[in-house]
Amino acid sequence: MPETNPSARPRRARTRALALLTAALAVFGGSLALAPAAHAATGVTVTAPGAVTAGDTVTVTVAAEAGADLFAYDLTLGYDPTLLAFAAGSETYPTGGYGAVTESSGTVTFTNTRLGTSPGLAGTHDLVTFSFTAVGSGSATISVDDGTFLDSASASQPLPEAVTTTVEIAAAPVTPSPTPAPGAPGAGAPAAGEGAADDAAASDPAGNSAGSLATTGGDVVMWIVVGAAGVGLVALGVVLMVRRRRAEVEA
């Protein structure tokens, strides 16, 4: 009879893959201690900081009550890639096992299994801890959407229900550009009427400043010379006139 629930196929495929991996490890490392089928994990939780700033690291932990015999598991988490970026290589698992990660846009899947004759996990454990980098601002939801748990006898148990947490990401503060001190490079042009730019820009061929004061001084000297020449001409005229009259009297 055809399957009527296509969405169940990926979950069954992961379950079969984990079962095969468990069987291979059993052959490689020796016989596994077979135990009666039991609940592999319950009480799954996901925790993360409640609030961060864009650019911060967001550390996420998925934990569970491992029951009496959690030998292997996989967990698929969803997130908003416009707000969070997965930090590859940041994941850590319980000691004594082997872990792998598969990432795609908006999801990341963690797989872990015990090795050889290592006993299954019992009690409460952090199943995986990893990090995101906050790359945007807004309300970012991180959810454990899917999961499969196996005991050492390869009996599987699905994730009872999705588990979520939310991180509020604030925009990174904008640092204003420093204002240059008056007179410093980049401080801007002087106010109108000060004439500083004109004075600094003008110079004579010898490299001397030819600002407004120098120009004013040059004008004064010119008028002094002209005035002196005029006075000289007047004096010369007076002298000539006096000599002419004296000559007339003597004659």
Side-chain angles (χ1 to χ4, degrees), residues 33-240:
L34 298 179
H39 289 297
T42 58
V44 178
T45 61
V46 56
T47 58
V52 298
T53 300
D56 289 350
T57 297
V58 180
T59 301
V60 181
T61 298
V62 180
E65 171 59 47
D69 183 23
L70 176 58
F71 198 83
Y73 56 88
D74 73 349
L75 301 164
T76 297
L77 284 85
Y79 62 95
D80 186 345
T82 65
L83 300 178
L84 298 170
F86 175 66
S90 63
E91 63 277 6
T92 59
Y93 304 92
T95 57
Y98 170 80
V101 60
T102 303
E103 182 188 4
S104 62
S105 179
T107 63
V108 58
T109 298
F110 302 96
T111 302
N112 184 266
T113 183
R114 311 297 289 167
L115 295 174
T117 57
S118 298
L121 299 175
T124 301
H125 285 272
D126 293 341
L127 302 184
V128 63
T129 298
F130 64 96
S131 297
F132 288 117
T133 299
V135 295
S137 59
S139 183
T141 298
I142 304 169
S143 57
V144 184
D145 297 325
D146 197 5
T148 303
F149 306 92
L150 283 80
D151 63 17
S152 57
S154 298
S156 66
Q157 174 189 341
L159 179 73
E161 60 183 357
V163 184
T164 65
T165 188
T166 301
V167 180
E168 298 296 334
I169 306 175
V174 178
T175 302
S177 300
T179 302
E194 292 181 357
D198 294 337
D199 291 344
S203 62
D204 63 16
N208 297 320
S209 174
S212 59
L213 293 178
T215 302
T216 302
D219 293 342
V220 171
V221 171
M222 181 185 68
W223 284 113
I224 291 175
V225 172
V226 172
V231 171
L233 292 174
V234 171
L236 179 60
V238 171
V239 170
L240 292 175

